[in-house]
Amino acid sequence: MKKKLGLILACSGLLLLGACQKSSSSDSNTVKIGVNLELSGKVSAYGNAELEGIKLATKEINKNGGINGKKIQLVSKDNKSDTAEAASVATSLATKDKVTAIIGPATSGSTKSATPAVTRAKVPMVTPSATDDSVTLTTAGKVQDYVFRTTFQDSFQGIILANFATNKLNAKKVAIIGDNSSDYAKGLTKAFKKQYKGDIVEEVNFSSGDTDFQAILTKLKSKSFDVIYLPGYYNEAGLIIKQAREMGITQPILGADGFGDTELVKLAGTDNVNDVYYTANFSTNVDATKVSKDFVTSFKKEYNKEPSGFNALAYDSVYLIKQAIEDAKSTDPVKVKEALTKVKDFEGVTGTMSVDKEHNPKKAAVVIQLTKGVESGATVVNP
Amino acid sequence: MSNIFQQLINGLSLGSIYALMALGYTMVYGIIKLINFAHGEVYMIGAFLGYYFIQVHHLPFILALVLAMVISAFLGAVIEFLAYRPLRNSSRIAVLITAIGVSFLLQNVMIYFFGSNPRAFPQALTKKVFEFHGVQISSYQIVIIVTTVVLMLLLQFIVQKTKMGKAMRAVSVDADAARLMGINVDLTISFTFAIGSALAAAGGVLIGLYYNTINPMMGVTPGLKAFIAAVLGGIGIIPGAVIGGFSIGILETIVSALGFSLFKDAFVYAILILILLVKPSGLLGKNVKEKV
């Protein structure tokens, strides 16, 4: 028994020594940035796309002399698309690896579960793609000190879409097809209604998983309206677009980033996807800023494919952290967090952004138009 | 007015699918008093088979439909042979639990091999929309309703006019007496499963074509609703399943049209509770006293 205890003590001593050595060696000439992403599991497509963007940004920064002369050292860990795992990855990055900042997770649920860990350890976390409004807020409505994001929040998309409907589509009357079963869609509807000044002639609802929309669409068809606002994910949206177009409903259909998947076109049928618009963070057809073009070129060179919104947002997250570290002139996590709250007019590939008081980026969104299932236009819309 | 007719057509198309599935529930219940909860999964697999034949082998729609029905019929008989026959003399609850187990097994096997994401069903027929006085009916809706009616007439013919149909009716009245009369009861039960499964598969392929989306979990909700349709019409009664299926389809459409689409599932389940409270034997059922 005693022997065993001694062995355990010796082992843990060695481990501690190892850990000490590791952190002392990295302090001098590298900046450690943690990556907490969904690299396997059900949303691994998001996580892996984001890792590509992060790696590209890191490579560029290191090639151009690093941050304040220090090279970035990425500590990348997989949270397996699991909310509990996301929390433990965040803890280990913050306390064991002692990173300056963390990028990720990709989804709202995982980001929320990682929040207590980073707050306790006082390490800022920048999520590239968690859009839920409550990600940066506590339940009491206070700001989460250590949580930031580079994507827009859901309610912001509602505002953008309301402006787009009024200014670009000249919509005086709108019909809403809402999804009453997801917080995402409910938030989008609420924000849209608050911003939109015209008439809302009809509001019908479905719930996620539905496949039959004939009844609500038949009801809608007899009404007069200019535009359909359809907050929801591509699964149902694809089917609604198909059934609506086949029924002869030809008005433009407006949605949020939940449309942004190729499956939408497959479900709707290429010929039915006309006059469909949705918000996105990024489009290769429009240069939001002057760095956007360079990003597309270097991304294509690196990975031999077109960059996606996830690639772009993650890429921006690295540069945003770089900016904050340079502003703070320190790699101390708390000082970097302070600097992050003060970032103004940061030029990212997804737009020029300033961090607002709720830690959301204030930036323009891109509204993408689909014709015959392919992107036929992209407009930058300001909030 | 045209709106009401339009909704009626929508309801009939949806109801056709429920009716096709309800027939499977009702026949299996009628013959061995088992609620085959794996029925919704046979419907799902039927849809995937249709997808496979059209997408991969580019077969014409009718051929794909028939092949999916044949293979699903075989699958239904295999499920009966492997999962239910060994439990023939067990309590009814044991078989019921096995049925639920089979249902989960099939779902998860399909998720394992094909993933849980919905996939688009190939649009094998050209879609035309016909309009009469403001009421639209698409060629898909016509195909669904016509196929359903043809299959029902075929079923009616099998049950009433063929030797096997006679055997099915005999087994459903009294399996032991039927055996004494020289009827192969096991074969008759397998045949019943096969026919029910073929009808469910037809429903799956039609719904894939109609809504253009299939996924491994697609059988769960329609399966339950078809079961409710069978109970509504009177479980074990073939015309009852048809009436129940169409009623549920139309009711669901009415509820959605009135703006309560969120409650349409709740509404259907409420009907189940109501029918069990008021007339447990269903619309067409007679109250039969237990024989002593």
Side-chain angles (χ1 to χ4, degrees):
Chain A
M1 193 64 203
K2 250 184 191 161
K3 245 186 195 169
K4 238 183 200 169
L5 199 70
L7 202 68
I8 291 172
L9 276 175
C11 282
S12 47
L14 273 175
L15 272 176
L16 271 174
L17 209 67
C20 287
Q21 266 178 350
K22 219 167 144 196
S23 59
S24 62
S25 73
S26 65
D27 268 355
S28 50
N29 49 16
T30 58
V31 183
K32 271 193 177 181
I33 294 181
V35 175
N36 176 4
L37 282 176
E38 291 80 345
L39 301 178
S40 62
K42 61 179 187 295
V43 286
S44 57
Y46 300 164
N48 286 303
E50 288 178 9
L51 190 61
E52 285 176 347
I54 292 169
K55 281 189 171 155
L56 178 63
T58 308
K59 194 174 156 190
E60 285 175 11
I61 293 171
N62 285 346
K63 211 172 80 188
N64 297 331
I67 308 174
N68 293 338
K70 293 179 178 180
K71 293 264 158 72
I72 297 178
Q73 186 195 343
L74 286 180
V75 186
S76 159
K77 288 187 178 168
D78 178 13
N79 63 35
K80 305 188 177 80
S81 304
D82 182 75
T83 47
E85 193 72 23
S88 68
V89 166
T91 309
S92 92
L93 285 172
T95 57
K96 211 172 116 245
D97 298 307
K98 306 229 177 292
V99 297
T100 299
I102 295 172
I103 299 176
T107 57
S108 298
S110 291
T111 307
K112 283 188 212 170
S113 80
T115 300
V118 296
T119 309
R120 230 179 295 124
K122 297 197 189 331
V123 175
M125 169 168 80
V126 179
T127 164
S129 54
T131 57
D132 191 342
D133 279 39
S134 63
V135 160
T136 58
L137 299 175
T138 63
T139 40
K142 263 187 65 203
V143 179
Q144 292 282 11
D145 278 339
Y146 288 88
V147 187
F148 298 83
R149 60 177 140 204
T150 40
T151 181
F152 38 58
Q153 73 274 31
D154 288 340
S155 62
F156 175 79
Q157 293 193 70
I159 295 168
I160 292 278
L161 289 167
N163 290 347
F164 185 80
T166 312
N167 302 331
K168 294 282 184 343
L169 299 175
N170 295 319
K172 307 264 188 304
K173 288 180 280 184
V174 163
I176 299 178
I177 305 178
D179 173 353
N180 235 340
S181 60
S182 84
D183 287 346
Y184 169 71
K186 279 196 280 190
L188 281 168
T189 310
K190 207 172 125 195
F192 184 89
K193 277 177 160 171
K194 211 170 139 194
Q195 180 78 6
Y196 183 64
K197 297 289 175 285
D199 276 341
I200 292 169
V201 290
E202 182 76 49
E203 189 180 347
V204 289
N205 285 303
F206 63 91
S207 41
S208 61
D210 280 2
T211 46
D212 180 49
F213 305 99
Q214 309 272 350
I216 56 173
L217 289 171
T218 300
K219 195 178 163 199
L220 215 60
K221 201 183 170 209
S222 57
K223 296 280 186 330
S224 134
F225 55 88
D226 304 319
V227 165
I228 294 176
Y229 179 58
L230 169 54
Y233 294 109
Y234 61 86
N235 279 346
E236 289 87 17
L239 299 179
I240 292 175
I241 292 171
K242 175 184 160 71
Q243 290 172 23
R245 291 296 185 243
E246 280 169 357
M247 205 180 267
I249 297 176
T250 53
Q251 283 92 335
I253 296 176
L254 203 55
D257 63 339
F259 279 27
D261 192 292
T262 48
E263 198 65 25
L264 176 95
V265 177
K266 278 193 214 150
L267 289 173
T270 320
D271 289 341
N272 293 321
V273 189
N274 288 315
D275 257 336
V276 173
Y277 302 85
Y278 67 96
T279 38
N281 275 285
F282 177 75
S283 159
T284 49
N285 287 345
V286 60
D287 295 327
T289 59
K290 62 177 188 288
V291 291
S292 305
K293 205 181 216 153
D294 297 338
F295 164 71
V296 177
T297 323
S298 56
F299 189 90
K300 273 190 198 156
K301 214 175 117 193
E302 183 80 18
Y303 297 108
N304 211 8
K305 61 180 178 188
E306 295 269 325
S308 72
F310 289 107
N311 297 139
L313 288 167
Y315 180 89
D316 274 357
S317 304
V318 181
Y319 275 95
L320 186 69
I321 290 170
K322 171 177 182 273
Q323 174 87 46
I325 294 173
E326 282 171 356
D327 292 349
K329 299 189 182 65
S330 162
T331 55
D332 178 53
V334 179
K335 285 182 184 150
V336 172
K337 181 225 57 165
E338 284 304 321
L340 270 173
T341 60
K342 296 190 191 100
V343 171
K344 286 246 152 20
D345 300 324
F346 160 75
E347 235 181 84
V349 300
T350 62
T352 304
M353 58 185 107
S354 304
V355 176
D356 74 3
K357 57 181 193 301
E358 291 187 350
H359 294 187
N360 297 311
K362 273 178 73 179
K363 61 175 177 180
V366 182
V367 178
I368 291 174
Q369 179 183 8
L370 296 175
T371 305
K372 294 247 169 213
V374 291
E375 188 173 326
S376 60
T379 327
V380 176
V381 182
N382 285 301
Chain B
M1 196 61 199
S2 66
N3 238 337
I4 295 173
F5 278 109
Q6 184 68 59
Q7 297 291 20
L8 201 64
I9 289 173
N10 296 339
L12 276 178
S13 326
L14 189 63
S16 300
I17 309 293
Y18 291 151
L20 278 178
M21 285 182 82
L23 284 168
Y25 275 108
T26 259
M27 287 194 299
V28 167
Y29 184 85
I31 202 154
I32 54 169
K33 301 283 179 283
L34 160 69
I35 296 161
N36 178 17
F37 274 115
H39 199 57
E41 276 53 58
V42 175
Y43 157 91
M44 175 266 293
I45 288 174
F48 271 84
L49 285 167
Y51 171 88
Y52 173 76
F53 288 127
I54 297 172
Q55 182 82 2
V56 180
H57 292 290
H58 305 290
L59 296 184
F61 179 74
I62 297 291
L63 193 59
L65 178 75
V66 172
L67 277 174
M69 285 173 70
V70 170
I71 296 176
S72 300
F74 187 68
L75 175 76
V78 169
I79 292 173
E80 193 274 326
F81 182 76
L82 293 178
Y84 304 144
R85 189 170 296 183
L87 298 170
R88 192 58 48 77
N89 295 316
S90 311
S91 65
R92 268 160 74 179
I93 193 83
V95 191
L96 188 72
I97 293 167
T98 309
I100 295 170
V102 170
S103 156
F104 281 120
L105 176 73
L106 292 176
Q107 278 164 20
N108 287 294
V109 165
M110 292 301 278
I111 289 175
Y112 180 79
F113 285 110
F114 299 100
S116 56
N117 286 335
R119 51 184 70 209
F121 197 87
Q123 299 292 286
L125 299 175
T126 44
K127 188 155 188 170
K128 282 202 198 79
V129 176
F130 306 99
E131 192 160 343
F132 313 97
H133 304 289
V135 180
Q136 291 178 334
I137 182 162
S138 75
S139 49
Y140 283 12
Q141 286 170 323
I142 296 175
V143 167
I144 288 176
I145 295 170
V146 169
T147 312
T148 306
V149 172
V150 168
L151 289 176
M152 281 171 189
L153 291 176
L154 200 66
L155 178 72
Q156 194 63 16
F157 174 77
I158 291 173
V159 172
Q160 297 299 336
K161 305 282 181 208
T162 64
K163 217 170 166 181
M164 197 42 116
K166 212 178 243 174
M168 280 165 70
R169 282 182 289 147
V171 174
S172 75
V173 174
D174 190 332
D176 291 329
R179 192 174 285 119
L180 288 175
M181 291 293 132
I183 291 172
N184 185 340
V185 173
D186 280 340
L187 182 71
T188 311
I189 292 172
S190 295
F191 184 76
T192 310
F193 267 88
I195 288 195
S197 301
L199 293 175
V205 177
L206 290 172
I207 211 79
L209 181 76
Y210 190 35
Y211 295 143
N212 188 28
T213 178
I214 58 170
N215 71 71
M217 299 303 285
M218 68 185 280
V220 180
T221 316
L224 269 176
K225 285 183 186 161
F227 164 67
I228 293 169
V231 174
L232 174 66
I235 193 152
I237 304 164
I238 288 178
V242 176
I243 291 172
F246 282 122
S247 313
I248 295 282
I250 291 168
L251 275 172
E252 221 183 276
T253 306
I254 292 173
V255 173
S256 292
L258 292 177
F260 301 108
S261 59
L262 275 184
F263 299 104
K264 68 170 194 265
D265 291 0
F267 197 79
V268 174
Y269 298 133
I271 287 176
L272 174 68
I273 296 171
L274 204 70
I275 200 89
L276 289 177
L277 283 175
V278 178
K279 199 167 184 299
S281 53
L283 290 177
L284 299 188
K286 292 183 200 76
N287 276 318
V288 187
K289 288 248 165 64
E290 283 280 330
K291 276 172 274 186
V292 185

PDB file of all heavy atoms in Angstrom, chain B residues 77-98:
ATOM      1  N   ALA B  77     -42.014 -10.086 -43.522  1.00  0.00           N
ATOM      2  CA  ALA B  77     -42.113 -11.504 -43.187  1.00  0.00           C
ATOM      3  C   ALA B  77     -40.914 -11.951 -42.359  1.00  0.00           C
ATOM      4  O   ALA B  77     -41.046 -12.740 -41.414  1.00  0.00           O
ATOM      5  CB  ALA B  77     -42.225 -12.324 -44.469  1.00  0.00           C
ATOM      6  N   VAL B  78     -39.724 -11.419 -42.687  1.00  0.00           N
ATOM      7  CA  VAL B  78     -38.512 -11.780 -41.936  1.00  0.00           C
ATOM      8  C   VAL B  78     -38.612 -11.277 -40.493  1.00  0.00           C
ATOM      9  O   VAL B  78     -38.286 -11.999 -39.542  1.00  0.00           O
ATOM     10  CB  VAL B  78     -37.250 -11.214 -42.631  1.00  0.00           C
ATOM     11  CG1 VAL B  78     -36.031 -11.350 -41.733  1.00  0.00           C
ATOM     12  CG2 VAL B  78     -37.017 -11.928 -43.944  1.00  0.00           C
ATOM     13  N   ILE B  79     -39.082 -10.024 -40.335  1.00  0.00           N
ATOM     14  CA  ILE B  79     -39.238  -9.481 -38.983  1.00  0.00           C
ATOM     15  C   ILE B  79     -40.176 -10.369 -38.173  1.00  0.00           C
ATOM     16  O   ILE B  79     -39.894 -10.725 -37.032  1.00  0.00           O
ATOM     17  CB  ILE B  79     -39.795  -8.033 -39.030  1.00  0.00           C
ATOM     18  CG1 ILE B  79     -38.752  -7.088 -39.625  1.00  0.00           C
ATOM     19  CG2 ILE B  79     -40.201  -7.561 -37.639  1.00  0.00           C
ATOM     20  CD1 ILE B  79     -39.272  -5.685 -39.861  1.00  0.00           C
ATOM     21  N   GLU B  80     -41.261 -10.758 -38.808  1.00  0.00           N
ATOM     22  CA  GLU B  80     -42.228 -11.609 -38.106  1.00  0.00           C
ATOM     23  C   GLU B  80     -41.569 -12.929 -37.709  1.00  0.00           C
ATOM     24  O   GLU B  80     -41.694 -13.368 -36.577  1.00  0.00           O
ATOM     25  CB  GLU B  80     -43.440 -11.860 -39.013  1.00  0.00           C
ATOM     26  CG  GLU B  80     -44.636 -12.464 -38.305  1.00  0.00           C
ATOM     27  CD  GLU B  80     -44.579 -13.975 -38.216  1.00  0.00           C
ATOM     28  OE1 GLU B  80     -44.063 -14.621 -39.158  1.00  0.00           O
ATOM     29  OE2 GLU B  80     -45.040 -14.517 -37.193  1.00  0.00           O
ATOM     30  N   PHE B  81     -40.817 -13.499 -38.659  1.00  0.00           N
ATOM     31  CA  PHE B  81     -40.205 -14.808 -38.414  1.00  0.00           C
ATOM     32  C   PHE B  81     -39.174 -14.741 -37.284  1.00  0.00           C
ATOM     33  O   PHE B  81     -39.143 -15.582 -36.403  1.00  0.00           O
ATOM     34  CB  PHE B  81     -39.546 -15.305 -39.710  1.00  0.00           C
ATOM     35  CG  PHE B  81     -38.931 -16.659 -39.583  1.00  0.00           C
ATOM     36  CD1 PHE B  81     -39.736 -17.790 -39.570  1.00  0.00           C
ATOM     37  CD2 PHE B  81     -37.552 -16.805 -39.452  1.00  0.00           C
ATOM     38  CE1 PHE B  81     -39.181 -19.047 -39.441  1.00  0.00           C
ATOM     39  CE2 PHE B  81     -36.992 -18.072 -39.324  1.00  0.00           C
ATOM     40  CZ  PHE B  81     -37.814 -19.192 -39.319  1.00  0.00           C
ATOM     41  N   LEU B  82     -38.326 -13.680 -37.301  1.00  0.00           N
ATOM     42  CA  LEU B  82     -37.223 -13.616 -36.332  1.00  0.00           C
ATOM     43  C   LEU B  82     -37.660 -13.067 -34.978  1.00  0.00           C
ATOM     44  O   LEU B  82     -37.187 -13.513 -33.935  1.00  0.00           O
ATOM     45  CB  LEU B  82     -36.095 -12.744 -36.886  1.00  0.00           C
ATOM     46  CG  LEU B  82     -35.356 -13.290 -38.098  1.00  0.00           C
ATOM     47  CD1 LEU B  82     -34.313 -12.296 -38.566  1.00  0.00           C
ATOM     48  CD2 LEU B  82     -34.713 -14.638 -37.779  1.00  0.00           C
ATOM     49  N   ALA B  83     -38.549 -12.062 -35.000  1.00  0.00           N
ATOM     50  CA  ALA B  83     -38.814 -11.355 -33.750  1.00  0.00           C
ATOM     51  C   ALA B  83     -40.115 -11.770 -33.086  1.00  0.00           C
ATOM     52  O   ALA B  83     -40.209 -11.777 -31.859  1.00  0.00           O
ATOM     53  CB  ALA B  83     -38.817  -9.845 -34.004  1.00  0.00           C
ATOM     54  N   TYR B  84     -41.137 -12.090 -33.864  1.00  0.00           N
ATOM     55  CA  TYR B  84     -42.442 -12.338 -33.251  1.00  0.00           C
ATOM     56  C   TYR B  84     -42.803 -13.817 -33.150  1.00  0.00           C
ATOM     57  O   TYR B  84     -43.431 -14.232 -32.194  1.00  0.00           O
ATOM     58  CB  TYR B  84     -43.547 -11.599 -34.021  1.00  0.00           C
ATOM     59  CG  TYR B  84     -43.301 -10.107 -34.146  1.00  0.00           C
ATOM     60  CD1 TYR B  84     -43.659  -9.407 -35.283  1.00  0.00           C
ATOM     61  CD2 TYR B  84     -42.705  -9.406 -33.098  1.00  0.00           C
ATOM     62  CE1 TYR B  84     -43.429  -8.053 -35.394  1.00  0.00           C
ATOM     63  CE2 TYR B  84     -42.464  -8.046 -33.201  1.00  0.00           C
ATOM     64  CZ  TYR B  84     -42.824  -7.376 -34.356  1.00  0.00           C
ATOM     65  OH  TYR B  84     -42.592  -6.047 -34.467  1.00  0.00           O
ATOM     66  N   ARG B  85     -42.385 -14.606 -34.160  1.00  0.00           N
ATOM     67  CA  ARG B  85     -42.787 -16.007 -34.124  1.00  0.00           C
ATOM     68  C   ARG B  85     -42.269 -16.752 -32.885  1.00  0.00           C
ATOM     69  O   ARG B  85     -43.020 -17.499 -32.276  1.00  0.00           O
ATOM     70  CB  ARG B  85     -42.366 -16.721 -35.414  1.00  0.00           C
ATOM     71  CG  ARG B  85     -42.960 -18.122 -35.517  1.00  0.00           C
ATOM     72  CD  ARG B  85     -42.757 -18.736 -36.864  1.00  0.00           C
ATOM     73  NE  ARG B  85     -43.450 -17.990 -37.908  1.00  0.00           N
ATOM     74  CZ  ARG B  85     -43.463 -18.396 -39.181  1.00  0.00           C
ATOM     75  NH1 ARG B  85     -42.828 -19.480 -39.551  1.00  0.00           N
ATOM     76  NH2 ARG B  85     -44.117 -17.690 -40.087  1.00  0.00           N
ATOM     77  N   PRO B  86     -40.989 -16.519 -32.477  1.00  0.00           N
ATOM     78  CA  PRO B  86     -40.525 -17.223 -31.277  1.00  0.00           C
ATOM     79  C   PRO B  86     -41.337 -16.873 -30.037  1.00  0.00           C
ATOM     80  O   PRO B  86     -41.298 -17.585 -29.037  1.00  0.00           O
ATOM     81  CB  PRO B  86     -39.078 -16.745 -31.121  1.00  0.00           C
ATOM     82  CG  PRO B  86     -38.679 -16.269 -32.459  1.00  0.00           C
ATOM     83  CD  PRO B  86     -39.921 -15.733 -33.090  1.00  0.00           C
ATOM     84  N   LEU B  87     -42.049 -15.740 -30.087  1.00  0.00           N
ATOM     85  CA  LEU B  87     -42.806 -15.302 -28.919  1.00  0.00           C
ATOM     86  C   LEU B  87     -44.298 -15.571 -29.079  1.00  0.00           C
ATOM     87  O   LEU B  87     -45.119 -14.985 -28.386  1.00  0.00           O
ATOM     88  CB  LEU B  87     -42.599 -13.801 -28.691  1.00  0.00           C
ATOM     89  CG  LEU B  87     -41.163 -13.367 -28.392  1.00  0.00           C
ATOM     90  CD1 LEU B  87     -41.057 -11.861 -28.424  1.00  0.00           C
ATOM     91  CD2 LEU B  87     -40.732 -13.901 -27.042  1.00  0.00           C
ATOM     92  N   ARG B  88     -44.642 -16.444 -30.038  1.00  0.00           N
ATOM     93  CA  ARG B  88     -46.050 -16.660 -30.357  1.00  0.00           C
ATOM     94  C   ARG B  88     -46.881 -17.003 -29.126  1.00  0.00           C
ATOM     95  O   ARG B  88     -48.011 -16.578 -28.982  1.00  0.00           O
ATOM     96  CB  ARG B  88     -46.145 -17.783 -31.420  1.00  0.00           C
ATOM     97  CG  ARG B  88     -47.450 -18.014 -32.106  1.00  0.00           C
ATOM     98  CD  ARG B  88     -48.050 -16.863 -32.866  1.00  0.00           C
ATOM     99  NE  ARG B  88     -47.217 -16.115 -33.788  1.00  0.00           N
ATOM    100  CZ  ARG B  88     -46.848 -16.498 -35.001  1.00  0.00           C
ATOM    101  NH1 ARG B  88     -47.180 -17.660 -35.453  1.00  0.00           N
ATOM    102  NH2 ARG B  88     -46.142 -15.726 -35.772  1.00  0.00           N
ATOM    103  N   ASN B  89     -46.279 -17.785 -28.197  1.00  0.00           N
ATOM    104  CA  ASN B  89     -47.076 -18.203 -27.041  1.00  0.00           C
ATOM    105  C   ASN B  89     -46.766 -17.390 -25.791  1.00  0.00           C
ATOM    106  O   ASN B  89     -47.172 -17.737 -24.695  1.00  0.00           O
ATOM    107  CB  ASN B  89     -46.873 -19.695 -26.778  1.00  0.00           C
ATOM    108  CG  ASN B  89     -47.412 -20.508 -27.946  1.00  0.00           C
ATOM    109  OD1 ASN B  89     -48.502 -20.217 -28.453  1.00  0.00           O
ATOM    110  ND2 ASN B  89     -46.633 -21.482 -28.402  1.00  0.00           N
ATOM    111  N   SER B  90     -46.020 -16.301 -25.959  1.00  0.00           N
ATOM    112  CA  SER B  90     -45.720 -15.458 -24.798  1.00  0.00           C
ATOM    113  C   SER B  90     -46.880 -14.499 -24.562  1.00  0.00           C
ATOM    114  O   SER B  90     -47.816 -14.420 -25.345  1.00  0.00           O
ATOM    115  CB  SER B  90     -44.450 -14.648 -25.042  1.00  0.00           C
ATOM    116  OG  SER B  90     -43.440 -15.491 -25.517  1.00  0.00           O
ATOM    117  N   SER B  91     -46.730 -13.730 -23.487  1.00  0.00           N
ATOM    118  CA  SER B  91     -47.797 -12.776 -23.179  1.00  0.00           C
ATOM    119  C   SER B  91     -47.793 -11.673 -24.231  1.00  0.00           C
ATOM    120  O   SER B  91     -46.787 -11.431 -24.901  1.00  0.00           O
ATOM    121  CB  SER B  91     -47.562 -12.174 -21.799  1.00  0.00           C
ATOM    122  OG  SER B  91     -46.373 -11.428 -21.826  1.00  0.00           O
ATOM    123  N   ARG B  92     -48.900 -10.987 -24.379  1.00  0.00           N
ATOM    124  CA  ARG B  92     -48.999  -9.954 -25.404  1.00  0.00           C
ATOM    125  C   ARG B  92     -48.056  -8.790 -25.142  1.00  0.00           C
ATOM    126  O   ARG B  92     -47.539  -8.173 -26.056  1.00  0.00           O
ATOM    127  CB  ARG B  92     -50.444  -9.468 -25.522  1.00  0.00           C
ATOM    128  CG  ARG B  92     -51.191 -10.273 -26.575  1.00  0.00           C
ATOM    129  CD  ARG B  92     -52.664 -10.173 -26.410  1.00  0.00           C
ATOM    130  NE  ARG B  92     -53.178  -8.881 -26.845  1.00  0.00           N
ATOM    131  CZ  ARG B  92     -54.467  -8.571 -26.808  1.00  0.00           C
ATOM    132  NH1 ARG B  92     -55.330  -9.447 -26.354  1.00  0.00           N
ATOM    133  NH2 ARG B  92     -54.874  -7.400 -27.212  1.00  0.00           N
ATOM    134  N   ILE B  93     -47.805  -8.512 -23.854  1.00  0.00           N
ATOM    135  CA  ILE B  93     -46.928  -7.380 -23.534  1.00  0.00           C
ATOM    136  C   ILE B  93     -45.494  -7.668 -23.980  1.00  0.00           C
ATOM    137  O   ILE B  93     -44.780  -6.793 -24.463  1.00  0.00           O
ATOM    138  CB  ILE B  93     -47.013  -7.025 -22.029  1.00  0.00           C
ATOM    139  CG1 ILE B  93     -46.365  -5.677 -21.753  1.00  0.00           C
ATOM    140  CG2 ILE B  93     -46.379  -8.066 -21.149  1.00  0.00           C
ATOM    141  CD1 ILE B  93     -47.272  -4.529 -22.028  1.00  0.00           C
ATOM    142  N   ALA B  94     -45.065  -8.950 -23.894  1.00  0.00           N
ATOM    143  CA  ALA B  94     -43.708  -9.312 -24.320  1.00  0.00           C
ATOM    144  C   ALA B  94     -43.526  -9.031 -25.809  1.00  0.00           C
ATOM    145  O   ALA B  94     -42.515  -8.471 -26.240  1.00  0.00           O
ATOM    146  CB  ALA B  94     -43.444 -10.784 -24.021  1.00  0.00           C
ATOM    147  N   VAL B  95     -44.535  -9.404 -26.595  1.00  0.00           N
ATOM    148  CA  VAL B  95     -44.440  -9.191 -28.044  1.00  0.00           C
ATOM    149  C   VAL B  95     -44.461  -7.699 -28.366  1.00  0.00           C
ATOM    150  O   VAL B  95     -43.748  -7.216 -29.242  1.00  0.00           O
ATOM    151  CB  VAL B  95     -45.593  -9.918 -28.770  1.00  0.00           C
ATOM    152  CG1 VAL B  95     -45.340  -9.933 -30.260  1.00  0.00           C
ATOM    153  CG2 VAL B  95     -45.734 -11.330 -28.245  1.00  0.00           C
ATOM    154  N   LEU B  96     -45.265  -6.966 -27.600  1.00  0.00           N
ATOM    155  CA  LEU B  96     -45.363  -5.522 -27.814  1.00  0.00           C
ATOM    156  C   LEU B  96     -44.013  -4.853 -27.573  1.00  0.00           C
ATOM    157  O   LEU B  96     -43.557  -4.010 -28.361  1.00  0.00           O
ATOM    158  CB  LEU B  96     -46.412  -4.943 -26.860  1.00  0.00           C
ATOM    159  CG  LEU B  96     -46.779  -3.493 -27.086  1.00  0.00           C
ATOM    160  CD1 LEU B  96     -47.613  -3.359 -28.342  1.00  0.00           C
ATOM    161  CD2 LEU B  96     -47.548  -2.949 -25.896  1.00  0.00           C
ATOM    162  N   ILE B  97     -43.355  -5.267 -26.484  1.00  0.00           N
ATOM    163  CA  ILE B  97     -42.048  -4.683 -26.167  1.00  0.00           C
ATOM    164  C   ILE B  97     -41.030  -5.064 -27.237  1.00  0.00           C
ATOM    165  O   ILE B  97     -40.214  -4.243 -27.660  1.00  0.00           O
ATOM    166  CB  ILE B  97     -41.600  -5.123 -24.754  1.00  0.00           C
ATOM    167  CG1 ILE B  97     -42.526  -4.492 -23.717  1.00  0.00           C
ATOM    168  CG2 ILE B  97     -40.158  -4.717 -24.486  1.00  0.00           C
ATOM    169  CD1 ILE B  97     -42.389  -5.070 -22.337  1.00  0.00           C
ATOM    170  N   THR B  98     -41.103  -6.305 -27.716  1.00  0.00           N
ATOM    171  CA  THR B  98     -40.215  -6.717 -28.800  1.00  0.00           C
ATOM    172  C   THR B  98     -40.422  -5.836 -30.027  1.00  0.00           C
ATOM    173  O   THR B  98     -39.473  -5.421 -30.694  1.00  0.00           O
ATOM    174  CB  THR B  98     -40.489  -8.180 -29.177  1.00  0.00           C
ATOM    175  OG1 THR B  98     -40.447  -8.943 -27.992  1.00  0.00           O
ATOM    176  CG2 THR B  98     -39.467  -8.691 -30.151  1.00  0.00           C
TER     177      THR B  98
END
